[in-house]
Each structure stands twice: as C-alpha cells, then as structure tokens.
Amino acid sequence: LKHMQEKYYTPKQLIDLLSLPKGRTSRPVLDLIHRGELKAHRISPRVYRVSESQLQEFLDERKVNCG
C-alpha cells in the first residue's frame, strides 16, 4: 500500500530533477537504470518509472560528506 501513495517519476522528469544535461532524450537516466545504478520499475519493454524512495536511495548513495 505504501507504493501506491508514493510519487513516481519518468526518466524525462528526472533529467530536470537531477539537473542532468538536457538533450532530446532521457538517455542519461536510462543509462543509469540499465547499469543498475538507479533502481526503477519496468512498466513495459520501453517504459520505466522511478519511485521517490528509489530516487532518494540513489541520491543517498552518492552523498558526499564535506565535513
């Protein structure tokens, strides 16, 4: 039930959220998914959705301690 209340993002939306270079495709996000660095739900062969918790996990793993 928790997953139904969670927000989901398309790879294209994540381009903006992660401030990745904007191109005509969502390729940078798809590359992260295909390499297993960013977890995602595969809806169909070419459609992915990334949940808020999956995005947060990805960001937490890359957090740099500047102290």
Side-chain angles (χ1 to χ4, degrees):
L1 236 18
K2 177 190 171 207
H3 293 292
M4 295 181 109
Q5 298 170 359
E6 200 165 17
K7 182 169 181 154
Y8 288 83
Y9 300 98
T10 65
K12 188 172 183 174
Q13 289 172 313
L14 291 178
I15 293 285
D16 292 329
L17 279 173
L18 298 173
S19 300
L20 294 173
K22 289 184 183 180
R24 291 177 26 194
T25 70
S26 50
R27 186 88 248 153
V29 172
L30 292 174
D31 287 344
L32 289 170
I33 292 169
H34 291 149
R35 288 195 308 260
E37 295 178 41
L38 175 61
K39 294 178 185 168
H41 297 278
R42 190 175 193 171
I43 307 301
S44 69
R46 297 181 65 190
V47 177
Y48 293 90
R49 294 293 179 269
V50 178
S51 69
E52 253 180 332
S53 60
Q54 289 168 319
L55 176 59
Q56 190 59 55
E57 183 181 327
F58 172 79
L59 294 173
D60 288 347
E61 289 172 356
R62 281 147 187 80
K63 197 177 286 186
V64 176
N65 186 356
C66 296

